[in-house]
mmCIF file with all atom_site columns, all heavy atoms in Angstrom:
data_model
loop_
_atom_site.group_PDB
_atom_site.id
_atom_site.type_symbol
_atom_site.label_atom_id
_atom_site.label_alt_id
_atom_site.label_comp_id
_atom_site.label_asym_id
_atom_site.label_entity_id
_atom_site.label_seq_id
_atom_site.pdbx_PDB_ins_code
_atom_site.Cartn_x
_atom_site.Cartn_y
_atom_site.Cartn_z
_atom_site.occupancy
_atom_site.B_iso_or_equiv
_atom_site.pdbx_formal_charge
_atom_site.auth_seq_id
_atom_site.auth_comp_id
_atom_site.auth_asym_id
_atom_site.auth_atom_id
_atom_site.pdbx_PDB_model_num
ATOM 1   N N   . GLU A 1 517 ? 46.925 -28.027 -31.275 1.00 88.00 ? 540 GLU A N   1
ATOM 2   C CA  . GLU A 1 517 ? 47.909 -26.994 -30.960 1.00 88.00 ? 540 GLU A CA  1
ATOM 3   C C   . GLU A 1 517 ? 47.907 -25.867 -32.027 1.00 88.00 ? 540 GLU A C   1
ATOM 4   O O   . GLU A 1 517 ? 48.937 -25.265 -32.299 1.00 88.00 ? 540 GLU A O   1
ATOM 5   C CB  . GLU A 1 517 ? 49.296 -27.587 -30.841 1.00 88.00 ? 540 GLU A CB  1
ATOM 6   C CG  . GLU A 1 517 ? 49.410 -28.609 -29.696 1.00 88.00 ? 540 GLU A CG  1
ATOM 7   C CD  . GLU A 1 517 ? 50.844 -29.018 -29.436 1.00 88.00 ? 540 GLU A CD  1
ATOM 8   O OE1 . GLU A 1 517 ? 51.759 -28.417 -30.011 1.00 88.00 ? 540 GLU A OE1 1
ATOM 9   O OE2 . GLU A 1 517 ? 51.036 -29.997 -28.652 1.00 88.00 ? 540 GLU A OE2 1
ATOM 10  N N   . THR A 1 520 ? 47.236 -22.011 -29.165 1.00 89.00 ? 543 THR A N   1
ATOM 11  C CA  . THR A 1 520 ? 48.179 -22.269 -28.107 1.00 89.00 ? 543 THR A CA  1
ATOM 12  C C   . THR A 1 520 ? 49.051 -21.016 -27.881 1.00 89.00 ? 543 THR A C   1
ATOM 13  O O   . THR A 1 520 ? 48.910 -19.996 -28.607 1.00 89.00 ? 543 THR A O   1
ATOM 14  C CB  . THR A 1 520 ? 49.092 -23.466 -28.431 1.00 89.00 ? 543 THR A CB  1
ATOM 15  O OG1 . THR A 1 520 ? 49.938 -23.740 -27.319 1.00 89.00 ? 543 THR A OG1 1
ATOM 16  C CG2 . THR A 1 520 ? 49.940 -23.174 -29.664 1.00 89.00 ? 543 THR A CG2 1
ATOM 17  N N   . VAL A 1 521 ? 49.907 -21.078 -26.892 1.00 88.00 ? 544 VAL A N   1
ATOM 18  C CA  . VAL A 1 521 ? 50.786 -19.929 -26.584 1.00 88.00 ? 544 VAL A CA  1
ATOM 19  C C   . VAL A 1 521 ? 51.722 -19.652 -27.751 1.00 88.00 ? 544 VAL A C   1
ATOM 20  O O   . VAL A 1 521 ? 52.326 -20.586 -28.316 1.00 88.00 ? 544 VAL A O   1
ATOM 21  C CB  . VAL A 1 521 ? 51.610 -20.232 -25.297 1.00 88.00 ? 544 VAL A CB  1
ATOM 22  C CG1 . VAL A 1 521 ? 52.534 -19.070 -24.989 1.00 88.00 ? 544 VAL A CG1 1
ATOM 23  C CG2 . VAL A 1 521 ? 50.695 -20.523 -24.140 1.00 88.00 ? 544 VAL A CG2 1
ATOM 24  N N   . ALA A 1 550 ? 46.104 -36.442 -23.331 1.00 90.00 ? 573 ALA A N   1
ATOM 25  C CA  . ALA A 1 550 ? 46.688 -35.458 -24.244 1.00 90.00 ? 573 ALA A CA  1
ATOM 26  C C   . ALA A 1 550 ? 46.368 -34.057 -23.812 1.00 90.00 ? 573 ALA A C   1
ATOM 27  O O   . ALA A 1 550 ? 47.205 -33.130 -23.902 1.00 90.00 ? 573 ALA A O   1
ATOM 28  C CB  . ALA A 1 550 ? 46.277 -35.759 -25.663 1.00 90.00 ? 573 ALA A CB  1
ATOM 29  N N   . PHE A 1 551 ? 45.127 -33.828 -23.374 1.00 90.00 ? 574 PHE A N   1
ATOM 30  C CA  . PHE A 1 551 ? 44.738 -32.504 -22.959 1.00 90.00 ? 574 PHE A CA  1
ATOM 31  C C   . PHE A 1 551 ? 45.492 -32.071 -21.697 1.00 90.00 ? 574 PHE A C   1
ATOM 32  O O   . PHE A 1 551 ? 45.855 -30.901 -21.551 1.00 90.00 ? 574 PHE A O   1
ATOM 33  C CB  . PHE A 1 551 ? 43.228 -32.463 -22.717 1.00 90.00 ? 574 PHE A CB  1
ATOM 34  C CG  . PHE A 1 551 ? 42.671 -31.091 -22.539 1.00 90.00 ? 574 PHE A CG  1
ATOM 35  C CD1 . PHE A 1 551 ? 43.135 -30.016 -23.311 1.00 90.00 ? 574 PHE A CD1 1
ATOM 36  C CD2 . PHE A 1 551 ? 41.657 -30.818 -21.641 1.00 90.00 ? 574 PHE A CD2 1
ATOM 37  C CE1 . PHE A 1 551 ? 42.594 -28.735 -23.172 1.00 90.00 ? 574 PHE A CE1 1
ATOM 38  C CE2 . PHE A 1 551 ? 41.139 -29.560 -21.452 1.00 90.00 ? 574 PHE A CE2 1
ATOM 39  C CZ  . PHE A 1 551 ? 41.599 -28.512 -22.247 1.00 90.00 ? 574 PHE A CZ  1
ATOM 40  N N   . VAL A 1 552 ? 45.696 -33.003 -20.794 1.00 88.00 ? 575 VAL A N   1
ATOM 41  C CA  . VAL A 1 552 ? 46.491 -32.726 -19.585 1.00 88.00 ? 575 VAL A CA  1
ATOM 42  C C   . VAL A 1 552 ? 47.923 -32.328 -19.995 1.00 88.00 ? 575 VAL A C   1
ATOM 43  O O   . VAL A 1 552 ? 48.493 -31.351 -19.449 1.00 88.00 ? 575 VAL A O   1
ATOM 44  C CB  . VAL A 1 552 ? 46.492 -33.928 -18.632 1.00 88.00 ? 575 VAL A CB  1
ATOM 45  C CG1 . VAL A 1 552 ? 47.558 -33.750 -17.562 1.00 88.00 ? 575 VAL A CG1 1
ATOM 46  C CG2 . VAL A 1 552 ? 45.133 -34.112 -17.986 1.00 88.00 ? 575 VAL A CG2 1
ATOM 47  N N   . GLU A 1 553 ? 48.479 -33.050 -20.915 1.00 91.00 ? 576 GLU A N   1
ATOM 48  C CA  . GLU A 1 553 ? 49.813 -32.705 -21.393 1.00 91.00 ? 576 GLU A CA  1
ATOM 49  C C   . GLU A 1 553 ? 49.876 -31.298 -21.975 1.00 91.00 ? 576 GLU A C   1
ATOM 50  O O   . GLU A 1 553 ? 50.805 -30.548 -21.722 1.00 91.00 ? 576 GLU A O   1
ATOM 51  C CB  . GLU A 1 553 ? 50.259 -33.751 -22.427 1.00 91.00 ? 576 GLU A CB  1
ATOM 52  C CG  . GLU A 1 553 ? 51.688 -33.519 -22.961 1.00 91.00 ? 576 GLU A CG  1
ATOM 53  C CD  . GLU A 1 553 ? 52.054 -34.573 -23.965 1.00 91.00 ? 576 GLU A CD  1
ATOM 54  O OE1 . GLU A 1 553 ? 51.311 -35.582 -24.126 1.00 91.00 ? 576 GLU A OE1 1
ATOM 55  O OE2 . GLU A 1 553 ? 53.147 -34.417 -24.616 1.00 91.00 ? 576 GLU A OE2 1
ATOM 56  N N   . ILE A 1 554 ? 48.864 -30.942 -22.774 1.00 92.00 ? 577 ILE A N   1
ATOM 57  C CA  . ILE A 1 554 ? 48.816 -29.603 -23.387 1.00 92.00 ? 577 ILE A CA  1
ATOM 58  C C   . ILE A 1 554 ? 48.691 -28.521 -22.287 1.00 92.00 ? 577 ILE A C   1
ATOM 59  O O   . ILE A 1 554 ? 49.354 -27.480 -22.357 1.00 92.00 ? 577 ILE A O   1
ATOM 60  C CB  . ILE A 1 554 ? 47.648 -29.516 -24.384 1.00 92.00 ? 577 ILE A CB  1
ATOM 61  C CG1 . ILE A 1 554 ? 47.996 -30.345 -25.598 1.00 92.00 ? 577 ILE A CG1 1
ATOM 62  C CG2 . ILE A 1 554 ? 47.412 -28.069 -24.782 1.00 92.00 ? 577 ILE A CG2 1
ATOM 63  C CD1 . ILE A 1 554 ? 46.840 -30.460 -26.595 1.00 92.00 ? 577 ILE A CD1 1
ATOM 64  N N   . LEU A 1 555 ? 47.856 -28.771 -21.317 1.00 91.00 ? 578 LEU A N   1
ATOM 65  C CA  . LEU A 1 555 ? 47.676 -27.751 -20.242 1.00 91.00 ? 578 LEU A CA  1
ATOM 66  C C   . LEU A 1 555 ? 48.946 -27.588 -19.433 1.00 91.00 ? 578 LEU A C   1
ATOM 67  O O   . LEU A 1 555 ? 49.303 -26.459 -19.046 1.00 91.00 ? 578 LEU A O   1
ATOM 68  C CB  . LEU A 1 555 ? 46.530 -28.206 -19.336 1.00 91.00 ? 578 LEU A CB  1
ATOM 69  C CG  . LEU A 1 555 ? 45.133 -28.124 -19.949 1.00 91.00 ? 578 LEU A CG  1
ATOM 70  C CD1 . LEU A 1 555 ? 44.099 -28.712 -18.970 1.00 91.00 ? 578 LEU A CD1 1
ATOM 71  C CD2 . LEU A 1 555 ? 44.756 -26.715 -20.291 1.00 91.00 ? 578 LEU A CD2 1
ATOM 72  N N   . VAL A 1 556 ? 49.681 -28.660 -19.183 1.00 89.00 ? 579 VAL A N   1
ATOM 73  C CA  . VAL A 1 556 ? 50.944 -28.563 -18.474 1.00 89.00 ? 579 VAL A CA  1
ATOM 74  C C   . VAL A 1 556 ? 51.966 -27.785 -19.284 1.00 89.00 ? 579 VAL A C   1
ATOM 75  O O   . VAL A 1 556 ? 52.684 -26.885 -18.764 1.00 89.00 ? 579 VAL A O   1
ATOM 76  C CB  . VAL A 1 556 ? 51.496 -29.955 -18.130 1.00 89.00 ? 579 VAL A CB  1
ATOM 77  C CG1 . VAL A 1 556 ? 52.913 -29.874 -17.565 1.00 89.00 ? 579 VAL A CG1 1
ATOM 78  C CG2 . VAL A 1 556 ? 50.587 -30.647 -17.105 1.00 89.00 ? 579 VAL A CG2 1
ATOM 79  N N   . LYS A 1 557 ? 52.026 -28.025 -20.549 1.00 92.00 ? 580 LYS A N   1
ATOM 80  C CA  . LYS A 1 557 ? 52.933 -27.251 -21.438 1.00 92.00 ? 580 LYS A CA  1
ATOM 81  C C   . LYS A 1 557 ? 52.545 -25.807 -21.438 1.00 92.00 ? 580 LYS A C   1
ATOM 82  O O   . LYS A 1 557 ? 53.421 -24.904 -21.477 1.00 92.00 ? 580 LYS A O   1
ATOM 83  C CB  . LYS A 1 557 ? 52.902 -27.821 -22.873 1.00 92.00 ? 580 LYS A CB  1
ATOM 84  C CG  . LYS A 1 557 ? 53.539 -29.182 -23.013 1.00 92.00 ? 580 LYS A CG  1
ATOM 85  C CD  . LYS A 1 557 ? 53.448 -29.662 -24.450 1.00 92.00 ? 580 LYS A CD  1
ATOM 86  C CE  . LYS A 1 557 ? 54.083 -31.005 -24.631 1.00 92.00 ? 580 LYS A CE  1
ATOM 87  N NZ  . LYS A 1 557 ? 54.003 -31.497 -26.052 1.00 92.00 ? 580 LYS A NZ  1
ATOM 88  N N   . THR A 1 558 ? 51.240 -25.509 -21.428 1.00 90.00 ? 581 THR A N   1
ATOM 89  C CA  . THR A 1 558 ? 50.785 -24.112 -21.426 1.00 90.00 ? 581 THR A CA  1
ATOM 90  C C   . THR A 1 558 ? 51.211 -23.396 -20.157 1.00 90.00 ? 581 THR A C   1
ATOM 91  O O   . THR A 1 558 ? 51.630 -22.226 -20.183 1.00 90.00 ? 581 THR A O   1
ATOM 92  C CB  . THR A 1 558 ? 49.238 -24.086 -21.533 1.00 90.00 ? 581 THR A CB  1
ATOM 93  O OG1 . THR A 1 558 ? 48.866 -24.706 -22.743 1.00 90.00 ? 581 THR A OG1 1
ATOM 94  C CG2 . THR A 1 558 ? 48.733 -22.654 -21.556 1.00 90.00 ? 581 THR A CG2 1
ATOM 95  N N   . LEU A 1 559 ? 51.165 -24.098 -19.010 1.00 89.00 ? 582 LEU A N   1
ATOM 96  C CA  . LEU A 1 559 ? 51.612 -23.512 -17.744 1.00 89.00 ? 582 LEU A CA  1
ATOM 97  C C   . LEU A 1 559 ? 53.068 -23.162 -17.771 1.00 89.00 ? 582 LEU A C   1
ATOM 98  O O   . LEU A 1 559 ? 53.504 -22.130 -17.217 1.00 89.00 ? 582 LEU A O   1
ATOM 99  C CB  . LEU A 1 559 ? 51.291 -24.432 -16.598 1.00 89.00 ? 582 LEU A CB  1
ATOM 100 C CG  . LEU A 1 559 ? 49.802 -24.567 -16.199 1.00 89.00 ? 582 LEU A CG  1
ATOM 101 C CD1 . LEU A 1 559 ? 49.641 -25.626 -15.127 1.00 89.00 ? 582 LEU A CD1 1
ATOM 102 C CD2 . LEU A 1 559 ? 49.270 -23.260 -15.690 1.00 89.00 ? 582 LEU A CD2 1
ATOM 103 N N   . PHE A 1 560 ? 53.887 -23.992 -18.385 1.00 88.00 ? 583 PHE A N   1
ATOM 104 C CA  . PHE A 1 560 ? 55.312 -23.706 -18.490 1.00 88.00 ? 583 PHE A CA  1
ATOM 105 C C   . PHE A 1 560 ? 55.615 -22.590 -19.492 1.00 88.00 ? 583 PHE A C   1
ATOM 106 O O   . PHE A 1 560 ? 56.560 -21.832 -19.304 1.00 88.00 ? 583 PHE A O   1
ATOM 107 C CB  . PHE A 1 560 ? 56.082 -24.986 -18.911 1.00 88.00 ? 583 PHE A CB  1
ATOM 108 C CG  . PHE A 1 560 ? 56.343 -25.918 -17.788 1.00 88.00 ? 583 PHE A CG  1
ATOM 109 C CD1 . PHE A 1 560 ? 55.881 -27.205 -17.828 1.00 88.00 ? 583 PHE A CD1 1
ATOM 110 C CD2 . PHE A 1 560 ? 57.096 -25.531 -16.681 1.00 88.00 ? 583 PHE A CD2 1
ATOM 111 C CE1 . PHE A 1 560 ? 56.121 -28.114 -16.783 1.00 88.00 ? 583 PHE A CE1 1
ATOM 112 C CE2 . PHE A 1 560 ? 57.346 -26.396 -15.629 1.00 88.00 ? 583 PHE A CE2 1
ATOM 113 C CZ  . PHE A 1 560 ? 56.858 -27.695 -15.667 1.00 88.00 ? 583 PHE A CZ  1
ATOM 114 N N   . ALA A 1 561 ? 54.777 -22.473 -20.543 1.00 88.00 ? 584 ALA A N   1
ATOM 115 C CA  . ALA A 1 561 ? 55.101 -21.535 -21.607 1.00 88.00 ? 584 ALA A CA  1
ATOM 116 C C   . ALA A 1 561 ? 54.606 -20.125 -21.345 1.00 88.00 ? 584 ALA A C   1
ATOM 117 O O   . ALA A 1 561 ? 55.113 -19.166 -21.931 1.00 88.00 ? 584 ALA A O   1
ATOM 118 C CB  . ALA A 1 561 ? 54.515 -22.045 -22.929 1.00 88.00 ? 584 ALA A CB  1
ATOM 119 N N   . SER A 1 562 ? 53.606 -19.953 -20.488 1.00 86.00 ? 585 SER A N   1
ATOM 120 C CA  . SER A 1 562 ? 53.011 -18.624 -20.314 1.00 86.00 ? 585 SER A CA  1
ATOM 121 C C   . SER A 1 562 ? 53.021 -18.241 -18.849 1.00 86.00 ? 585 SER A C   1
ATOM 122 O O   . SER A 1 562 ? 52.803 -19.070 -17.967 1.00 86.00 ? 585 SER A O   1
ATOM 123 C CB  . SER A 1 562 ? 51.544 -18.624 -20.820 1.00 86.00 ? 585 SER A CB  1
ATOM 124 O OG  . SER A 1 562 ? 50.934 -17.396 -20.567 1.00 86.00 ? 585 SER A OG  1
ATOM 125 N N   . ASN A 1 593 ? 54.952 -35.416 -17.523 1.00 88.00 ? 616 ASN A N   1
ATOM 126 C CA  . ASN A 1 593 ? 55.184 -34.108 -18.093 1.00 88.00 ? 616 ASN A CA  1
ATOM 127 C C   . ASN A 1 593 ? 55.517 -33.049 -17.051 1.00 88.00 ? 616 ASN A C   1
ATOM 128 O O   . ASN A 1 593 ? 55.444 -31.853 -17.299 1.00 88.00 ? 616 ASN A O   1
ATOM 129 C CB  . ASN A 1 593 ? 53.970 -33.647 -18.912 1.00 88.00 ? 616 ASN A CB  1
ATOM 130 C CG  . ASN A 1 593 ? 53.795 -34.442 -20.180 1.00 88.00 ? 616 ASN A CG  1
ATOM 131 O OD1 . ASN A 1 593 ? 54.430 -34.172 -21.203 1.00 88.00 ? 616 ASN A OD1 1
ATOM 132 N ND2 . ASN A 1 593 ? 52.908 -35.449 -20.125 1.00 88.00 ? 616 ASN A ND2 1
ATOM 133 N N   . ALA A 1 598 ? 54.766 -27.731 -12.726 1.00 86.00 ? 621 ALA A N   1
ATOM 134 C CA  . ALA A 1 598 ? 54.051 -26.677 -13.472 1.00 86.00 ? 621 ALA A CA  1
ATOM 135 C C   . ALA A 1 598 ? 52.993 -25.994 -12.612 1.00 86.00 ? 621 ALA A C   1
ATOM 136 O O   . ALA A 1 598 ? 52.858 -24.783 -12.617 1.00 86.00 ? 621 ALA A O   1
ATOM 137 C CB  . ALA A 1 598 ? 53.423 -27.290 -14.742 1.00 86.00 ? 621 ALA A CB  1
ATOM 138 N N   . ARG A 1 601 ? 54.583 -23.856 -10.054 1.00 83.00 ? 624 ARG A N   1
ATOM 139 C CA  . ARG A 1 601 ? 55.005 -22.588 -10.669 1.00 83.00 ? 624 ARG A CA  1
ATOM 140 C C   . ARG A 1 601 ? 53.827 -21.631 -10.775 1.00 83.00 ? 624 ARG A C   1
ATOM 141 O O   . ARG A 1 601 ? 53.993 -20.424 -10.511 1.00 83.00 ? 624 ARG A O   1
ATOM 142 C CB  . ARG A 1 601 ? 55.577 -22.867 -12.067 1.00 83.00 ? 624 ARG A CB  1
ATOM 143 C CG  . ARG A 1 601 ? 56.000 -21.652 -12.849 1.00 83.00 ? 624 ARG A CG  1
ATOM 144 C CD  . ARG A 1 601 ? 56.610 -22.063 -14.179 1.00 83.00 ? 624 ARG A CD  1
ATOM 145 N NE  . ARG A 1 601 ? 57.052 -20.908 -14.937 1.00 83.00 ? 624 ARG A NE  1
ATOM 146 C CZ  . ARG A 1 601 ? 56.296 -20.201 -15.782 1.00 83.00 ? 624 ARG A CZ  1
ATOM 147 N NH1 . ARG A 1 601 ? 55.010 -20.560 -15.947 1.00 83.00 ? 624 ARG A NH1 1
ATOM 148 N NH2 . ARG A 1 601 ? 56.742 -19.181 -16.425 1.00 83.00 ? 624 ARG A NH2 1
#
Side-chain angles (χ1 to χ4, degrees):
E540 298 189 10
T543 185
V544 179
F574 192 39
V575 167
E576 181 179 351
I577 289 174
L578 291 174
V579 171
K580 290 181 180 179
T581 301
L582 287 175
F583 279 120
S585 176
N616 289 279
R624 179 177 180 272

